[in-house]
Amino acid sequence: MQLQSIITLASKPVELMFRAMERSLRATGCDLPVRVIPFSDDRFDLPEGSEWWEIPEFISWIDTAGRRPVMRKYQALLGSNYQFVDTDVIFLRNPQDVLSPHSGFVTSCTHWHNPDQTVTSESRAILQNRSTIWQSRVFNTGQFASEEQLYTLNDLKKVAADKRYRRTILEDSFHEQPGINLLVNLSRTPITNRTLTPMQMESTWAGDYLDEDYNRYWVDEEKKPYLIHWAGRKMQEDQAIAQLFFQYLSKEEREDFINQNSIPEERNTITLRLKRAIRLFLRELRKKS
C-alpha cells in the first residue's frame, strides 16, 4: 500500500486533539496531506499540509439519510490509499513505512476479542452467516487504512438503501462503527489485522497500558504499535501513556485541554454506565421489533 493521504474527522471542539495528532504524524517524518472531513460547520484554521475535505453531494445525503454527523466518516470509503484516524490518536511510527508491505484493507485494533460494539443484531447475523471466525474481520473505526476505493457514492447509497442493511448503516442509534464494519465486509476486500497472526503487533488501545511501565511491551520494534488510540478513554494527565499525547501540546494548550475536559471521574463513570444501559435497552427493543 502506497499511502497518499491521512484522513480524519474533526470540528472546533476537538481542535487540540487534532493538533496533537497532526504534530505526532509530522514528527514521524510523514509529510502526506491530511484531509479533514468536517464533523459540522464549526471549523478551525488548519495547519499547512492539511485541508478540509467535503463532498457536498455526500454530506447532503448522509445528513439527511443518516442524521448523525459521525456518519460523515463513511466518506473515507470513497477514497483510496489512505490511513484514517480519529483525532484521539497519536502516531509513534510513520504509517507510510508500516503499511507499505500491505495491500487491501488494514486494521490495527483488538476489537476481535470484544466485537459487540462493531455490530448490530442485524449485521452480526450477516457476518456470522459468512464465517465462523467473523470476529477476526471486525475493527474499531477510529483507525483503518485502505488501498482501494471500496465504494462510489452511488454504490454507497444503493447498499445503504437495502432493507437488509439500512438499519445498521443509517439508522443505528449510537454511532457509525457497525455501519463501517458492515460496509467493509460487504465489499469483500481482504482485511488484514496487524494485531493478529502472523504479525501479532501489540495493542494500539491506550486502555491496555494503564501502568507506568508500558514500554515493556514494546521491546520488539516490529511488534510495537505505530499509533495509540484513546477510543472510549479519557486522556488523564496523571497516566503515563497520556504523555504521548500531552507532549505535543504547548503549556497553554495543555492547560486549555485539561480545563475543557475536566469532568469529574465519578460523573464520567456514571455517564458511561448510563449510556451503555440505554444502548442495551434500545438494542433489546430493536430485536423485538
Side-chain angles (χ1 to χ4, degrees), residues 4-266:
Q4 296 176 355
S5 67
I6 308 298
I7 301 176
T8 190
L9 176 76
S11 61
K12 181 65 175 177
V14 297
E15 178 181 359
L16 290 177
M17 284 195 289
F18 169 85
R19 295 198 179 281
M21 180 274 290
E22 188 269 346
R23 291 166 187 169
S24 74
L25 176 71
R26 301 312 183 201
T28 70
C30 181
D31 60 359
L32 291 175
V34 178
R35 308 175 80 186
V36 187
I37 302 170
F39 180 83
S40 68
D41 292 332
D42 190 8
R43 306 187 189 188
F44 56 93
D45 293 333
L46 296 172
E48 183 178 355
S50 299
E51 62 179 1
W52 293 103
W53 179 40
E54 182 174 11
I55 300 176
E57 185 182 354
F58 168 82
I59 296 295
S60 177
W61 168 68
I62 201 66
D63 285 357
T64 301
R67 301 185 298 278
R68 295 188 178 278
V70 73
M71 290 179 177
R72 291 185 176 195
K73 195 184 293 188
Y74 295 164
Q75 183 173 298
L77 303 181
L78 307 182
S80 62
N81 291 299
Y82 64 85
Q83 164 81 63
F84 179 90
V85 291
D86 281 344
T87 53
D88 58 345
V89 161
I90 291 297
F91 285 94
L92 303 180
R93 291 192 280 160
N94 190 329
Q96 292 172 278
D97 299 335
V98 173
L99 297 175
S100 62
H102 298 293
S103 59
F105 191 90
V106 180
T107 72
S108 300
C109 76
T110 55
H111 249 315
W112 42 264
H113 69 64
N114 181 28
D116 287 348
Q117 292 185 347
T118 66
V119 292
T120 61
S121 57
E122 293 82 12
S123 65
R124 180 193 292 268
I126 293 168
L127 298 185
Q128 284 180 331
N129 190 50
R130 291 185 168 208
S131 173
T132 57
I133 55 170
W134 63 272
Q135 297 93 332
S136 67
R137 294 179 58 85
V138 299
F139 55 95
N140 187 288
T141 56
Q143 41 124 331
F144 55 88
S146 183
E147 183 178 38
E148 303 296 330
Q149 177 182 348
L150 300 188
Y151 290 91
T152 65
L153 180 53
N154 286 337
D155 287 341
L156 182 58
K157 288 180 178 180
K158 183 177 180 180
V159 172
D162 191 306
K163 64 181 181 180
R164 296 170 295 176
Y165 313 136
R166 182 178 178 85
R167 180 172 284 186
T168 296
I169 296 171
L170 295 177
E171 298 174 355
D172 187 76
S173 303
F174 309 106
H175 47 75
E176 86 303 334
Q177 190 150 274
I180 291 182
N181 270 273
L182 180 58
L183 284 165
V184 172
N185 275 274
L186 288 175
S187 76
R188 295 193 180 276
T189 186
I191 298 177
T192 298
N193 191 320
R194 288 180 52 85
T195 66
L196 293 173
T197 302
M199 286 155 287
Q200 294 185 321
M201 186 182 75
E202 295 291 345
S203 175
T204 55
W205 185 46
D208 283 326
Y209 303 99
L210 298 181
D211 58 30
E212 296 288 329
D213 190 24
Y214 61 84
N215 277 299
R216 71 182 185 275
Y217 297 108
W218 300 346
V219 175
D220 185 341
E221 188 68 19
E222 289 302 310
K223 293 186 177 181
K224 178 180 178 178
Y226 70 104
L227 56 82
I228 292 294
H229 185 202
W230 275 263
R233 299 290 303 184
K234 185 178 178 182
M235 292 176 182
Q236 295 179 303
E237 194 178 18
D238 61 348
Q239 291 181 350
I241 192 73
Q243 300 314 308
L244 295 175
F245 165 78
F246 285 114
Q247 68 177 317
Y248 291 107
L249 299 181
S250 68
K251 180 180 178 182
E252 292 75 17
E253 289 172 334
R254 185 171 182 148
E255 291 174 353
D256 286 345
F257 181 84
I258 292 170
N259 289 334
Q260 292 169 16
N261 294 273
S262 58
I263 300 175
E265 189 63 28
E266 181 181 358

